[in-house]
């Protein structure tokens, strides 16, 4: 209903030629407007709340528009127009198609790698149960893969003047390095670089080590060790800067063998916590019968003392480390086998990308007409 005040009717009806009309004329004007109220738009014009005085004394009435219009674009919509495909959409769809295919292939490849790694671990564990045998004199380093984790014995003398180190490392909360010492074989074979074990930082210099017959043996020793395969150095590993240094931060057995003039064969000594006592003997060299006026020449020889098994003294690993004796490794495998995790990762990525591809292909293109109709039903 249109709400009209008496003042809004009097203004156009009573102010004619500067004269005022009587109350009867105003009532007659109001009855004429009431007959045309059906032709007015509802809520288009509101009556003024109060009259305002004009400059010339006349009464001015303010009017406020309250028309509510919709923001829906009611222009004609071409429903037959197809969505345009750009280059970026083609690239995105191609990646979605390639993702499940590539991830499935990588997961299948990791399945084969897992089978191969399980067979390798089983073979190496079987080799650890074999009794140690002497290392052949002319052993070919190319056969190290077939002898991997095979226990062998090597006899010879250590050359401590050619020691090299890899580290630093931390063991039992003590900083140190892994010691590698060349072994001059007694059977005439080529020299071998032996991984003797871990030494602390303050025992790097041989003269600072205690238990010299164990830490710096000058006599002939028999070392029980494992044969390990030499892995190539990673491509992102930084090369050694100081070529004259005897310290490597990353294990590079080929370069270390070349530096110490030994064959590229990785021999890792096993942990031995037993004491091997030695004795020093003075040997007098024989002289000719006719050279009776000169003194006989003598020299000292260090030999191991045979001790009964029940009388052998055994140290703890911590005692040997504090004394500076290199502590070898245990007869166990250190082969990583993470292929099962890789399989779960690649197959999981294949499953997720397949679902995403299905949702993208199943999604229908938007219809602008339907969007406008939904908006009209909601807000109109």
């Amino acid at each position: 209903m249109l709400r009209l005040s008496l003042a809004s009717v009097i203004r156009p009806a009573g102010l004619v030629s500067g004269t005022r009309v009587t109350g009867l004329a105003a009532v007659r004007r109001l009855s004429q407007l009431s007959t045309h109220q059906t032709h007015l738009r509802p809520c288009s014009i509101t009556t003024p709340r109060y009259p305002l005085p004009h400059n010339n004394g006349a009464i001015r009435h303010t009017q406020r528009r309250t028309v509510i219009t919709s923001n829906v674009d009611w222009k004609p919509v071409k429903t037959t127009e197809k969505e345009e495909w750009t280059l970026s959409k083609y690239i995105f769809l191609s990646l979605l198609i390639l993702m499940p295919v590539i991830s499935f292939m990588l997961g299948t490849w990791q399945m084969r790698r897992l089978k191969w790694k399980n067979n390798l671990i089983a073979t190496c564990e079987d080799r650890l149960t074999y009794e140690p045998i002497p290392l052949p004199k002319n052993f070919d380093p190319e056969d190290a893969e077939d002898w991997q984790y095979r226990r062998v014995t090597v006899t010879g003398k250590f050359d401590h003047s050619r020691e090299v180190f890899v580290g630093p490392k931390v063991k039992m909360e003590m900083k140190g390095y892994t010691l590698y010492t060349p072994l001059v074989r007694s059977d005439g074979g080529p020299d071998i670089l032996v991984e003797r074990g871990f030494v602390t930082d303050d025992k790097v210099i041989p003269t600072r080590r205690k238990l010299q017959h164990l830490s710096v043996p000058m006599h002939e020793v028999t070392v029980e060790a494992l044969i390990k395969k030499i892995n190539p150095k990673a491509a992102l590993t930084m090369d050694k800067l100081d070529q004259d240094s005897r310290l490597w931060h990353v294990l590079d057995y080929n370069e270390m063998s070349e530096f110490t003039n030994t064959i590229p064969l990785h021999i890792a000594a096993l942990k031995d916590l037993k004491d091997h006592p030695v004795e020093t003997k003075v040997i007098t060299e024989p002289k000719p019968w006719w050279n009776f006026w000169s003194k006989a020449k003598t020299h000292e020889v260090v030999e191991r003392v045979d001790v009964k098994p029940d009388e052998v003294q055994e140290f703890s690993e911590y005692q040997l480390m504090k004394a500076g004796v290199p502590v070898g490794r245990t007869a166990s495998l250190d082969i990583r086998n993470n292929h099962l995790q890789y399989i779960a990762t690649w197959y999981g990525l294949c499953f997720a990308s397949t679902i995403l591809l299905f949702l993208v292909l199943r999604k229908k293109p938007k219809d602008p007409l339907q969007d406008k109709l939904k908006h009209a039903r909601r807000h109109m």
Side-chain angles (χ1 to χ4, degrees), residues 310-326:
D310 55 348
E311 297 179 358
V312 175
Q313 183 180 1
E314 189 170 351
F315 300 95
S316 65
E317 186 174 351
Y318 181 78
Q319 289 175 331
L320 294 179
M321 291 175 62
K322 295 296 291 185
V325 179

Side-chain angles (χ1 to χ4, degrees), residues 10 19 25 31 66 99 163 181 199 232 240 257 265 312 349:
I10 295 174
T19 61
S31 62
T66 58
M99 184 67 70
E163 290 181 346
T181 308
V199 291
K240 182 182 176 184
S257 300
L265 180 62
V312 175
L349 183 59

Side-chain angles (χ1 to χ4, degrees), residues 359-376:
L359 294 177
V360 170
L361 296 178
R362 186 175 176 270
K363 185 177 180 182
K364 297 180 180 179
K366 292 184 178 180
D367 188 359
L369 179 60
Q370 296 297 329
D371 293 341
K372 292 182 179 181
L373 292 177
K374 289 181 181 179
H375 179 81

Side-chain angles (χ1 to χ4, degrees), residues 145-164:
E145 186 174 0
D146 297 333
W147 286 59
Q148 193 173 9
Y149 289 95
R150 183 71 167 87
R151 292 192 299 168
V152 296
T153 56
V154 186
T155 303
K157 291 184 178 181
F158 285 115
D159 187 358
H160 303 284
S161 62
R162 294 186 287 168
E163 290 181 346
V164 292

Side-chain angles (χ1 to χ4, degrees), residues 11 38 57 59 88 96 135 143 190 192 203 230 236 259 278-280 312 315 318 322 335 356 366:
R11 182 174 182 271
T38 55
I59 299 177
S88 59
L96 284 181
L135 183 68
D143 299 334
I192 301 175
K203 304 297 182 181
I230 298 178
L236 299 179
F259 182 83
V278 295
E279 62 179 2
T280 303
V312 175
F315 300 95
Y318 181 78
K322 295 296 291 185
I335 301 177
L356 180 60
K366 292 184 178 180

Side-chain angles (χ1 to χ4, degrees), residues 183-254:
L183 180 69
V184 182
R185 300 177 62 176
S186 301
D187 55 2
D191 297 348
I192 301 175
L193 186 62
V194 180
E195 178 188 346
R196 295 190 60 193
F198 181 84
V199 291
T200 57
D201 190 15
D202 56 338
K203 304 297 182 181
V204 171
I205 301 177
T207 55
R208 295 182 180 178
R209 304 171 191 167
K210 300 178 182 179
L211 299 176
Q212 293 281 320
H213 65 286
L214 297 177
S215 59
V216 192
M218 305 302 296
H219 56 280
E220 186 179 73
V221 295
T222 300
V223 180
E224 183 178 352
L226 290 176
I227 297 179
K228 296 188 64 179
K229 178 185 175 183
I230 298 178
N231 297 319
K233 186 175 65 173
L236 299 179
T237 304
M238 188 171 60
D239 296 333
K240 182 182 176 184
L241 299 179
D242 187 3
Q243 299 299 327
D244 297 331
S245 175
R246 295 191 296 168
L247 176 63
W248 276 259
H249 297 293
V250 180
L251 179 61
D252 189 354
Y253 220 91
N254 292 322

